[in-house]
Amino acid sequence: MPKVTEEYIQNKKNRIIDAAYTLCLRQTVSTVTMQDIINETGLSQGGIYRFFKDIDDIFSNMLLFLRKKESIKENVDEILSQADELPPAEITNLIFDMLADFMKRELMGIEKIDFELSVLAMNDPERVDKILKNVPGAGNMEYLTMRTMEYFVKQAKTGRIHPRVTVEELLSFISSAYTGIQTTCIVNNCYRHERNPLTDLYQPEVQLKTLAKTVNYLIGEEANQ
């Protein structure tokens, strides 16, 4: 009997993960079943269970793959490496321009999947905990929050910014506003078929540019935008 190589195993896993991702884009995450994945891959049930325990194990591996493939961590580090040379307002604008590009590019991809997982978490938190517990490390938004926390604290201490609220309040506001923008853009661009009169405004670049202006106001940099 020929020996099964690591490359063979990984190729099979990738085929199953790719199928799960395709299905999550085509329908909502909560409605994807193991039978859907069997049909999409053309593999037998035993052929899939040979590599994954269940559908949530597949989702965990899919998210791990997407986190590596669609990471913004290097972009965040590159922008914040210029923090001592560029005005704070420009750093803010660069961060939100980067987020707008990412959201626009991935609105029908990882952004949609993240949104649907958050909806699933409200209805079945134990299942989402099971999926995410096998996805180690910080995700894009967690990493961005950690790095910007360090940045805002340092800038406030050195007097380069004069926040109107505490750093913690600022970051919680940014997180809530980003989530709201993400939800609005996804709902209006991914799910609604009728034309909304405000659809042109419900776009990442428009919404996040307004958020950048708001953040610059809150850090006392509105005059330098």
Side-chain angles (χ1 to χ4, degrees):
M1 184 176 179
K3 182 180 179 181
V4 175
T5 65
E6 285 297 323
E7 181 180 10
Y8 172 86
I9 293 172
Q10 193 57 54
N11 285 340
K12 285 289 186 182
K13 285 185 174 182
N14 289 343
R15 181 177 170 185
I16 295 166
I17 290 169
D18 287 345
Y21 180 63
T22 298
L23 287 163
C24 286
L25 300 187
R26 191 185 302 159
Q27 57 197 76
T28 59
V29 172
S30 62
T31 63
V32 176
T33 66
M34 187 63 86
Q35 187 60 52
D36 290 330
I37 295 176
I38 290 170
N39 295 342
E40 187 72 20
T41 59
L43 298 172
S44 67
Q45 181 172 314
I48 292 179
Y49 280 111
R50 181 181 178 186
F51 302 103
F52 297 101
K53 293 181 295 184
D54 53 29
I55 192 169
D56 292 338
D57 189 24
I58 297 174
F59 284 163
S60 293
N61 281 269
M62 178 188 73
L63 289 174
L64 186 59
F65 170 78
L66 290 174
R67 276 194 177 183
K68 292 177 180 177
K69 179 176 177 287
E70 303 299 341
S71 175
I72 64 170
K73 295 177 183 178
E74 289 186 6
N75 304 90
V76 172
D77 290 342
E78 181 181 354
I79 292 170
L80 293 181
S81 70
Q82 306 172 73
D84 293 334
E85 289 78 40
L86 298 179
E90 191 168 341
I91 294 292
T92 299
N93 293 336
L94 286 172
I95 288 174
F96 282 101
D97 284 346
M98 179 269 295
L99 286 175
D101 288 341
F102 175 77
M103 187 184 288
K104 184 176 181 179
R105 185 175 70 250
E106 287 298 319
L107 198 64
M108 295 291 288
I110 193 170
E111 292 282 277
K112 172 184 177 290
I113 291 171
D114 279 345
F115 168 71
E116 290 175 354
L117 281 172
S118 67
V119 174
L120 181 59
M122 289 186 280
N123 298 302
D124 194 349
E126 290 184 2
R127 184 182 177 196
V128 174
D129 285 344
K130 177 186 173 186
I131 293 170
L132 295 181
K133 77 175 182 180
N134 294 316
V135 185
N140 282 329
M141 291 305 109
E142 292 92 339
Y143 186 78
L144 177 62
T145 299
M146 177 186 70
R147 289 300 321 277
T148 50
M149 167 76 84
E150 297 168 354
Y151 164 73
F152 284 132
V153 168
K154 180 179 178 182
Q155 297 297 302
K157 284 183 177 178
T158 57
R160 295 195 76 210
I161 63 173
H162 302 86
R164 290 177 161 88
V165 295
T166 67
V167 170
E168 292 78 10
E169 289 170 334
L170 177 62
L171 287 171
S172 66
F173 167 75
I174 293 172
S175 176
S176 298
Y178 182 87
T179 301
I181 290 170
Q182 178 191 50
T183 301
T184 299
C185 290
I186 288 171
V187 168
N188 282 277
N189 289 277
C190 299
Y191 303 119
R192 288 186 176 168
H193 300 295
E194 74 277 8
R195 177 73 179 177
N196 187 312
L198 296 178
T199 295
D200 290 342
L201 297 178
Y202 292 146
Q203 303 301 323
E205 60 271 29
V206 177
Q207 296 289 309
L208 289 171
K209 182 171 288 187
T210 300
L211 181 56
K213 291 179 180 179
T214 305
V215 171
N216 278 330
Y217 170 79
L218 290 174
I219 64 173
E221 284 289 299
E222 71 277 10
N224 298 318
Q225 296 190 72

